[in-house]
Amino acid sequence: MRILTGIQPSGKLHWGNYFGAMKSMFDLQAKGENFMFIANFHAMTTVRDGAALRAATKDVALDYLACGLDPEKTVMYRQSDVPEVQELAWYLSCLTPMGLLERCHSYKDKLAHGLEATHGLFAYPVLMAADILIMQADLVPVGKDQKQHLEVTRDLAQKFNNAYGETFKLPDAYIPETVATIPGTDGQKMSKSYHNTIELFEPNGSIKKKVMGIVTDSKTMEEPKEPEGNSIYELYKLFATPEEVADMAAHFRAGNYGYGHAKKALLEAYHRLFDPFRAKREELAKDGDTLEDILRAGAAKARAAAAPTMEKVRAAVGL
Ligand code: ADP
Ligand code: TRP
């Protein structure tokens, strides 16, 4: 089974990215042939500064390696190191009805958040389909917001197969329901566009400030509280063991347990998981050569994996 996922280097990765996307990829790492790429072409829809894009690409690679990506088990590469995806995106584009892209929520959301309506932003799902289809992926771990893009991908694969003969596998999205939407510090979905994120590796002082600043209602410490739906509790569930979670729920319901107590428990649980990742990241960041070697080796494997499909595609379309 081939498993592929991609992530845009368009900002520092946050808790929502870790639990919504990265973790399911790590969990699947032992289950198939894995590919993970850094979608730097996609990030150009929002990042217009070359140095910033390059730095963010490196940051994403370091974050993944620090948190558990094993380059022996997962091929990690930069999207731009497989330029054939742009070629495939064109072939798919020629089969893509405008209406299909016009219906994409993500495009409409981005416009609603003030992004310029460029062709790149509009055609984004076609390039995403090319990323997936070029690798003949079976399974694509993504967040819930990417579900429609996977439907577009399947649709385009089908259109290509109908027009030119059986060429592409139809991939499935892998969206664990348990981590559907991670809340941010203001209770809305955590997202860099909403400025409510807690980054994976921001300085410890700033993590503490953000956790302590998570918005709550104004119940007093003495009052009993319903934990379900409370952002601190929802975030704690991601980091803590089931026993610890049950314990926090009981404390909330019993009363005499304030939001401050829960925030401290959340912070401790974050450190337990992330302190070793932070140490590993610092180690890797000191050694630029190893990172570049991993990305170059990944690029070579990814291009080799894409080659047979591209040969077939070119022959099919008449080139
Ligand atoms: P952002 O919303 O900060 O711009 P992206 O859209 O770049 O994040 O998301 C990258 C990946 O992380 C996607 O697969 C997305 O579904 C997942 N993800 C991001 N934020 C969350 C969240 N709050 N809850 C669950 N998954 C998330
Ligand atoms: N659109 C994805 C996101 O914003 C990133 C992405 C690009 C991707 N190409 C992909 C994810 C292919 C999975 C497979 O998160």
Side-chain angles (χ1 to χ4, degrees), residues 77-139:
Y77 61 99
R78 285 173 285 237
Q79 186 181 27
S80 56
D81 283 338
V82 185
E84 293 86 347
V85 290
Q86 293 288 1
E87 181 188 345
L88 178 58
W90 175 252
Y91 306 148
L92 297 174
S93 241
C94 293
L95 297 166
T96 309
M98 293 292 283
L100 186 66
L101 299 181
E102 276 158 3
R103 283 194 293 278
C104 285
H105 309 303
S106 157
Y107 175 69
K108 289 188 270 193
D109 282 357
K110 284 176 179 167
L111 295 196
H113 277 94
L115 288 191
E116 198 187 336
T118 60
H119 175 257
L121 202 60
F122 185 67
Y124 182 113
V126 182
L127 181 58
M128 179 159 166
D131 296 327
I132 298 168
L133 299 178
I134 204 168
M135 293 299 174
Q136 301 282 6
D138 299 287
L139 205 59

Side-chain angles (χ1 to χ4, degrees), residues 4-8 37 39 42 79 110 124 128 131-132 140-142 145-146 149:
L4 169 121
T5 194
I7 187 140
Q8 291 194 62
F37 73 96
H42 276 107
Q79 186 181 27
K110 284 176 179 167
Y124 182 113
M128 179 159 166
D131 296 327
I132 298 168
V140 185
V142 279
D145 58 321
Q146 298 295 316
H149 289 159

Side-chain angles (χ1 to χ4, degrees), residues 108-278:
K108 289 188 270 193
D109 282 357
K110 284 176 179 167
L111 295 196
H113 277 94
L115 288 191
E116 198 187 336
T118 60
H119 175 257
L121 202 60
F122 185 67
Y124 182 113
V126 182
L127 181 58
M128 179 159 166
D131 296 327
I132 298 168
L133 299 178
I134 204 168
M135 293 299 174
Q136 301 282 6
D138 299 287
L139 205 59
V140 185
V142 279
K144 206 173 163 190
D145 58 321
Q146 298 295 316
K147 192 167 174 242
Q148 193 184 28
H149 289 159
L150 259 296
E151 283 156 15
V152 169
T153 302
R154 289 171 65 92
D155 208 347
L156 296 184
Q158 193 74 66
K159 282 190 194 307
F160 191 99
N161 290 349
N162 288 345
Y164 295 109
E166 233 15 71
T167 309
F168 294 117
K169 275 192 199 161
L170 302 198
D172 286 308
Y174 175 77
I175 307 172
E177 276 309 313
T178 43
V179 290
T181 303
I182 316 312
T185 51
D186 59 357
Q188 284 191 82
K189 178 194 166 198
M190 187 179 285
S191 167
K192 60 181 173 287
S193 335
Y194 303 152
H195 306 290
N196 63 357
T197 62
I198 305 175
E199 292 161 16
L200 299 184
F201 296 108
E202 63 186 296
N204 281 330
S206 130
I207 299 229
K208 182 169 180 194
K209 215 167 133 194
K210 285 190 179 174
V211 169
M212 290 306 176
I214 293 173
V215 176
T216 60
D217 60 31
S218 53
K219 287 207 173 79
T220 62
M221 190 185 78
E222 291 74 22
E223 281 177 80
K225 303 167 189 71
E226 173 49 45
E228 292 300 336
N230 171 315
S231 311
I232 309 165
Y233 180 68
E234 295 304 323
L235 291 169
Y236 190 63
K237 277 186 191 165
L238 302 167
F239 289 101
T241 64
E243 295 74 34
E244 289 170 329
V245 173
D247 214 36
M248 182 182 276
H251 276 303
F252 265 131
R253 292 196 174 107
N256 273 326
Y257 183 78
Y259 291 121
H261 294 122
K263 287 174 180 175
K264 258 184 82 185
L266 171 60
L267 196 60
E268 277 169 21
Y270 157 80
H271 281 297
R272 186 175 61 196
L273 181 63
F274 269 80
D275 285 357
F277 295 167
R278 190 182 290 262

